[in-house]
Amino acid sequence: MKKSLIVMGALLIMSSIFAVSCGGNSSSSAASADGPTIGVTIYRYDDNFMSFYRRNIESRINGKANLIINDSQNNQAQQNDQVDVMIQKDAKALAINLVDPQAAQTIIDKAKAKNIPVIFFNKQPSAQAMASYDKTWYVGTTPEESGDMQGKIVVDTWKANPTWDRNGDGIIQYVLLKGEPGHPDAEARTSHVTLYITNNGLQVERLEPEQTAMWDTAKAKDIVDAWMQKHGDKIEYIFCNNDAMALGALQSVQALGYNKEGDTTKYIPIVGVDAIPEMINEIKKGTVAGSVLNDPVGQSQALVDITLNAAAGKDPLDGTTWTLDEVKAVRVPYVPITKNNVNVAEEAYK
Ligand code: GAL
Ligand code: CA
């Protein structure tokens, strides 16, 4: 009797252990992945380029961590609240696409108080903010490089197409659409495109002060509509800090009969940055001059590698081939894209 009670008791204990361990396994594989909780914010889900970046982050992190990912809806206060919630939910690392590049310190202070690593991406914080916490890193590009490469596309295409100098004065009459003012990419692209052109022996004339279209297609179209009304085909080139705005510029000139596929007589060259699929299509059709590949695959891979390492308390570069510069940044290279090498961009956005 006593013996059988002991056996029964032992069986009960064993079966309950079994149930607990089974339940534990099934719940972790169903709802969330094994692995640490990672908090990611995107400054705005409806930013064209960032939507590709986000998809790449999600697919790379899939199964390796429990991902909390939020749309900050272009509102820094909202992003700060999202970070608070991620910290409450025991995030082991944060990957932050700031709304306002100036807000890095606020986020760093929150994370540092709990000893949580923070990896910024796409909008580079100041060197001072980066230096204030040993567990913060940045994944991005060298913004000046995109302006220089855009300048190179302008120089090469201009030299190859003498009819683009419509007034025959040897000078490129241009207008420029700027991204978000104060964004390191927007500032560097704006200054470097013309710097590269003039350093390479061509002259430029700015027909209008730069205007910001905040990376946005519809805003870009409105601005170019007004510029076209004022200057018409006196505009000999349209430089755009990104492709979403270049596509808006294209809509504007096409509505006036320019840049129709196959017609090179009524043509105002347009150049962008990102090489997103919609722009690749236009490059192939010859309706725009080119773009600069802002590689979402390379950048998201670096971001996920570093974030997972940091979350596990490892060296951020552990098991990777990335390198950090003096401000703890990984910089993924840009690539100039024209009709001749459009396949490079297609590969990156597959
Ligand atoms: C840039 C990109 C833009 C926009 C911006 C958002 O790198 O070229 O299209 O996505 O980031 O911060
Ligand atoms: Ca000219």
Side-chain angles (χ1 to χ4, degrees):
M1 179 65 188
K2 246 189 184 171
K3 227 183 180 179
S4 61
L5 263 182
I6 292 169
V7 170
M8 267 182 69
L11 277 173
L12 261 176
I13 291 167
M14 276 174 65
S15 64
S16 62
I17 290 172
F18 185 68
V20 165
S21 61
C22 274
N25 279 343
S26 61
S27 74
S28 63
S29 61
S32 60
D34 287 323
T37 296
I38 303 286
V40 179
T41 62
I42 304 288
Y43 92 101
R44 194 156 77 79
Y45 273 8
D46 57 4
D47 175 294
N48 217 321
F49 168 70
M50 291 312 299
S51 67
F52 292 99
Y53 205 141
R54 171 163 66 96
R55 268 177 249 164
N56 275 286
I57 294 171
E58 284 169 343
S59 63
R60 280 185 172 70
I61 234 161
N62 188 24
K64 298 189 181 117
N66 173 27
L67 177 64
I68 307 175
I69 184 160
N70 288 159
D71 178 0
S72 301
Q73 299 187 314
N74 212 22
N75 180 334
Q76 189 59 52
Q78 189 171 332
Q79 181 168 86
N80 296 348
D81 293 344
Q82 292 168 341
V83 166
D84 288 338
V85 173
M86 288 167 180
I87 293 174
Q88 274 160 28
K89 290 192 172 161
D90 203 23
K92 293 287 183 269
L94 300 172
I96 304 296
N97 175 210
L98 291 163
V99 175
D100 174 2
Q102 310 299 320
Q105 196 65 57
T106 310
I107 306 284
I108 290 174
D109 291 345
K110 288 175 190 292
K112 197 176 174 183
K114 304 277 180 197
N115 197 33
I116 301 169
V118 195
I119 300 85
F120 293 100
F121 62 103
N122 172 260
K123 295 198 195 184
Q124 184 171 359
S126 69
Q128 195 188 0
M130 291 298 295
S132 71
Y133 182 32
D134 60 339
K135 289 188 183 156
T136 188
W137 294 277
Y138 176 67
V139 173
T141 58
T142 306
E144 295 73 22
E145 192 181 88
S146 52
D148 290 337
M149 288 180 177
Q150 195 178 60
K152 183 173 167 26
I153 293 172
V154 173
V155 169
D156 293 348
T157 54
W158 181 262
K159 285 184 176 163
N161 293 280
T163 58
W164 288 2
D165 183 14
R166 228 175 274 108
N167 66 355
D169 67 353
I171 301 170
I172 308 173
Q173 275 75 29
Y174 78 94
V175 288
L176 186 148
L177 284 171
K178 189 172 177 176
E180 181 192 348
H183 189 310
D185 293 356
E187 298 302 334
R189 289 172 191 171
T190 299
S191 59
H192 272 254
V193 58
T194 49
L195 195 65
Y196 182 94
I197 297 168
T198 52
N199 282 343
N200 284 275
L202 290 176
Q203 279 177 277
V204 292
E205 183 191 349
R206 191 179 74 167
L207 292 180
E208 283 286 331
E210 288 89 44
Q211 276 194 47
T212 178
M214 297 300 283
W215 307 121
D216 181 79
T217 300
K219 289 196 179 83
K221 181 179 180 298
D222 287 348
I223 294 171
V224 177
D225 283 350
W227 283 342
M228 284 300 291
Q229 208 171 22
K230 190 164 161 197
H231 300 284
D233 67 3
K234 291 198 177 61
I235 299 174
E236 294 178 341
Y237 224 122
I238 305 179
F239 307 154
C240 307
N241 278 181
N242 80 339
D243 285 351
M245 297 190 296
L247 292 165
L250 179 64
Q251 284 173 16
S252 175
V253 301
Q254 281 186 330
L256 298 169
Y258 293 88
N259 297 36
K260 299 283 176 167
E261 190 175 354
D263 179 7
T264 51
T265 56
K266 237 186 146 199
Y267 188 79
I268 299 176
I270 298 170
V271 65
V273 176
D274 287 337
I276 54 175
E278 298 94 309
M279 189 71 169
I280 297 173
N281 271 339
E282 301 299 340
I283 295 173
K284 281 182 168 170
K285 287 195 260 175
T287 50
V288 296
S291 186
V292 177
L293 173 65
N294 190 5
D295 177 7
V297 173
Q299 291 177 74
S300 61
Q301 187 64 62
L303 179 68
V304 169
D305 287 350
I306 290 178
T307 305
L308 290 176
N309 277 335
K314 295 186 197 162
D315 182 285
L317 302 180
D318 192 73
T320 76
T321 54
W322 307 111
T323 54
L324 293 171
D325 70 6
E326 67 288 350
V327 291
K328 298 182 289 174
V330 171
R331 309 222 180 245
V332 175
Y334 285 106
V335 187
I337 300 291
T338 54
K339 217 170 191 172
N340 311 327
N341 67 341
V342 88
N343 59 307
V344 175
E346 280 178 310
E347 278 299 311
Y349 276 95
K350 241 185 192 161

